[in-house]
Amino acid sequence: MKNYIRMILFLFVLSVISAILLTFFALETKEYIAKNKQRERFIHILKSMRILPQEVENLLAKDEKLSNMPENTIQEKFQKEAIRIERTEYYLKKEKTEKILETFSSCIDVLEVTSQNEVTFYKGKEFAYLPSQKIDYLHNLYIFQAKKEGQSIYTFEIAGAGFWDKVSGYIALKEGFRNIAGITFYDHKETPGLGQRIEEGWFQGQFTFWNKTIFREGSLKPELRVTARKGTYDGEATANYDKKQNEVDAITGASETSRALDRFISKNLYHVFSKLAKVVRDKNDKEFFDANTQAFLKNFPEAKP
Amino acid sequence: MSLFSAENKKVFLENIWKENPIFRQILGICSCLAVTNLVYNTLIMCIALIVVTVATNVFVSLLREYIPGRIRMITQVLIITVFVTIVDLLLQAFSYEVSKQLGAYVGLIATNCIVMGRAEVFAMKNRPWPSFLDGLGAGIGYSIILIAIAIPREILGFGSICYYPILPQESWIAWNIMIMPPGAFLMLGTLIWIVNASGKKVAQEGK
């Protein structure tokens, strides 16, 4: 009996000490970890919109690999674009956090829509320095807006089940939510060398370089397809190429990852649009969405497909 | 007993080569298979494992007189997980990119047989200083093999070492198998084969 009590006491004391130690470390590192995660999101938001700190622009202009690439044919131009996307991410990741926050605060506005459809509007300056517990990416929808060349670009998160685990990214839309301004993936566990290639420039570049839209012609239901089709594309549709404007190339050897993107991007878009349609109808929030986007959202069907 | 007596040296050195956990005992290969496709990540993983092994060994050794025999395993696991969690938190706070790439494997150090093996076999019966050396030796032994596996894997899989390209990036076709876990099986097997074939002496001395 005495032995048992000794055992229980020993474990109890040890557990309490461990708990205190862990709590201390968790509290001490909490702010840093939150900042790291926030930084990562901001990097990808900026990347998807192509709004870059001046320093990154300078580095890109000086980049040797980029400037050595020819751009005579459309294929070469596309390859250059692909490398540019990869280098952009690389330089953004190297950039100091202050610069990222600075660019974010000066260019971007944020709209928060909670699961109860409550709407809050933030200036980039406020949002970038909000305490981390006030931002709930899991339950709320955040739309980031920026003006570029007189046009509004909107970015929001897309996430869904990939082949192995959740895939998260950001998609930026322009021209009244019709065309894609940029796409990026920041968190996934797809197979290295195969599904992992969604990180690569050529995959992300094809969404923007060929002016892909998110709708099938004549339809208002988002339908962005990631499909495997034969034939090559040289900027203009040729006889042996029948990819539509809402279709991008899948990744060879990563059928499941491609299929997963094919499935969840459209679903995500539909979800976001129907939520925003409600916001626009109820609140008539004129400041955030431009005329084009408002018109689109007002017409967006609320019923399930 | 002096700090660097012959016995202490033996404890330290044996773990590095003769009793190398991965090579001789084939322990702890889970992380060995998973994280060795990039040299830089492997280095971070090795440091994390060395810290955890050493800290666990020292603490278990300090407490060895007080740990009741029947619950010594639970106690060891508790101590190990505390250190693993601390290392994981620190990595997330100060080396976020690497922590993301290592993913679950930092947490899985807790289940690494090397850590618990050294705690149970050595630290429970020895004083803190030799336990410290034992943990350090086992950690370094583990690290050497991991790095030996990581270097060819990164060269063949990415054409680089520590992200620094050494093979021509345009013409080099990466071996995908080397990036994926099976690549580590191949490398580990090959390494063990080379070592066993070339140095039969070592293996026989071990017997």
Side-chain angles (χ1 to χ4, degrees):
Chain A
M1 193 57 204
K2 218 178 150 194
N3 255 342
Y4 278 112
I5 293 176
R6 200 177 146 238
M7 271 193 242
I8 292 170
L9 253 170
F10 179 85
L11 262 190
F12 181 75
V13 172
L14 199 67
S15 311
V16 169
I17 296 173
S18 313
I20 292 172
L21 204 65
L22 286 183
T23 314
F24 171 77
F25 270 92
L27 286 177
E28 283 299 306
T29 50
K30 199 178 152 199
E31 252 332 274
Y32 292 98
I33 296 173
K35 270 194 188 132
N36 284 339
K37 290 194 171 152
Q38 179 85 317
R39 177 191 145 88
E40 188 183 37
R41 278 179 191 273
F42 283 5
I43 284 177
H44 284 272
I45 290 165
L46 293 177
K47 183 190 159 198
S48 71
M49 290 176 163
R50 308 282 170 87
I51 290 174
L52 308 174
Q54 194 53 45
E55 288 80 4
V56 175
E57 298 272 17
N58 295 345
L59 284 169
L60 278 173
K62 267 188 275 175
D63 190 277
E64 266 180 44
K65 196 170 177 187
L66 266 177
S67 48
N68 286 342
M69 288 181 85
E71 44 182 338
N72 302 321
T73 65
I74 191 126
Q75 290 294 352
E76 284 173 353
K77 274 186 192 150
F78 177 63
Q79 270 160 19
K80 193 166 177 177
E81 173 72 7
I83 299 293
R84 183 186 296 279
I85 290 172
E86 282 172 17
R87 302 304 280 175
T88 307
E89 184 169 341
Y90 174 77
Y91 286 131
L92 272 173
K93 278 186 177 164
K94 286 200 146 187
E95 198 52 65
K96 285 197 196 86
T97 310
E98 298 99 73
K99 289 277 177 255
I100 305 274
L101 287 179
E102 209 175 275
T103 315
F104 185 92
S105 341
S106 61
C107 303
I108 292 176
D109 293 333
V110 189
L111 189 77
E112 177 192 74
V113 186
T114 64
S115 43
Q116 272 86 43
N117 282 331
E118 287 160 25
V119 181
T120 325
F121 176 78
Y122 295 101
K123 281 271 174 212
K125 231 182 273 166
E126 300 167 63
F127 190 82
Y129 299 101
L130 268 185
S132 54
Q133 60 266 28
K134 286 213 166 174
I135 306 173
D136 181 1
Y137 287 108
L138 197 62
H139 298 103
N140 299 348
L141 170 66
Y142 290 91
I143 313 285
F144 302 90
Q145 182 246 26
K147 286 253 183 327
K148 202 179 173 189
E149 290 150 14
Q151 241 199 61
S152 282
I153 305 178
Y154 300 89
T155 297
F156 46 86
E157 193 177 351
I158 42 172
F163 187 31
W164 297 113
D165 205 339
K166 187 178 169 188
V167 175
S168 316
Y170 277 95
I171 187 166
L173 301 176
K174 59 181 178 183
E175 283 147 17
F177 281 176
R178 270 211 88 73
N179 292 327
I180 300 166
I183 193 166
T184 174
F185 299 97
Y186 70 91
D187 194 20
H188 69 84
K189 297 198 170 52
E190 300 307 291
T191 319
L194 299 171
Q196 191 203 31
R197 299 186 72 196
I198 57 172
E199 284 174 9
E200 288 179 7
W202 70 267
F203 182 72
Q204 297 176 5
Q206 56 175 339
F207 288 85
T208 48
F209 189 81
W210 308 119
N211 293 322
K212 295 290 178 185
T213 74
I214 53 174
F215 303 107
R216 193 153 38 99
E217 243 181 293
S219 156
L220 272 184
K221 193 181 136 201
E223 206 180 323
L224 183 60
R225 308 294 313 271
V226 181
T227 50
R229 277 185 205 253
K230 286 173 189 149
T232 49
Y233 192 55
D234 53 7
E236 277 167 59
T238 46
N240 58 2
Y241 186 86
D242 55 355
K243 213 159 215 75
K244 306 255 169 31
Q245 249 348 83
N246 64 334
E247 291 178 333
V248 294
D249 280 327
I251 298 168
T252 310
S255 322
E256 280 306 324
T257 303
S258 308
R259 215 167 286 155
L261 293 186
D262 188 54
R263 209 176 307 128
F264 82 72
I265 293 180
S266 306
K267 228 187 225 171
N268 265 262
L269 291 172
Y270 183 84
H271 175 76
V272 170
F273 290 170
S274 43
K275 204 155 184 173
L276 290 181
K278 211 162 179 200
V279 168
V280 167
R281 263 183 227 126
D282 294 354
K283 310 269 159 111
N284 218 344
D285 191 51
K286 277 193 182 107
E287 311 217 336
F288 194 74
F289 295 108
D290 62 0
N292 254 340
T293 318
Q294 278 200 39
F296 164 73
L297 285 174
K298 275 192 181 138
N299 289 327
F300 191 76
E302 231 176 317
K304 287 228 158 7
Chain B
M1 198 161 54
S2 74
L3 283 184
F4 294 100
S5 64
E7 204 167 310
N8 281 348
K9 261 188 203 157
K10 202 180 138 218
V11 164
F12 178 66
L13 292 175
E14 273 211 340
N15 268 321
I16 291 186
W17 188 247
K18 230 164 118 188
E19 294 288 319
N20 186 299
I22 295 186
F23 248 35
R24 304 287 178 214
Q25 308 171 22
I26 321 284
L27 279 182
I29 62 167
C30 155
S31 50
C32 158
L33 302 178
V35 301
T36 53
N37 55 10
L38 285 165
V39 176
Y40 185 70
N41 292 357
T42 312
L43 282 174
I44 300 280
M45 183 71 182
C46 292
I47 293 169
L49 186 111
I50 292 174
V51 169
V52 172
T53 323
V54 168
T56 309
N57 259 12
V58 171
F59 267 74
V60 169
S61 169
L62 282 171
L63 291 174
R64 70 186 189 284
E65 312 259 306
Y66 311 103
I67 300 175
R70 290 177 70 180
I71 53 164
R72 62 183 197 288
M73 295 273 185
I74 297 182
T75 314
Q76 288 159 13
V77 170
L78 189 62
I79 294 174
I80 294 168
T81 40
V82 167
F83 286 115
V84 169
T85 315
I86 290 174
V87 167
D88 193 19
L89 284 171
L90 290 177
L91 266 184
Q92 277 186 47
F94 301 109
S95 185
Y96 186 67
E97 280 294 310
V98 175
S99 132
K100 244 186 89 173
Q101 282 176 23
L102 293 179
Y105 293 100
V106 178
L108 283 176
I109 293 177
T111 61
N112 195 309
C113 322
I114 297 170
V115 187
M116 191 147 172
R118 294 331 292 173
E120 168 71 9
V121 172
F122 199 90
M124 282 299 285
K125 300 175 191 117
N126 288 284
R127 292 170 5 130
W129 176 246
S131 302
F132 174 87
L133 286 178
D134 179 77
L136 192 65
I140 292 176
Y142 167 90
S143 308
I144 290 174
I145 306 304
L146 245 69
I147 292 164
I149 294 173
I151 290 174
R153 275 186 82 188
E154 188 173 343
I155 294 178
L156 295 175
F158 293 100
S160 61
I161 286 185
C162 275
Y163 298 114
Y164 184 79
I166 55 163
L167 294 172
Q169 293 288 306
E170 287 78 26
S171 55
W172 172 252
I173 295 170
W175 297 19
N176 274 339
I177 185 105
M178 280 298 160
I179 303 172
M180 290 190 275
F185 267 121
L186 293 176
M187 281 319 302
L188 181 62
T190 316
L191 260 165
I192 292 179
W193 171 50
I194 292 173
V195 170
N196 282 352
S198 63
K200 273 186 184 152
K201 246 183 173 175
V202 184
Q204 276 163 359
E205 266 174 35
K207 285 176 193 170

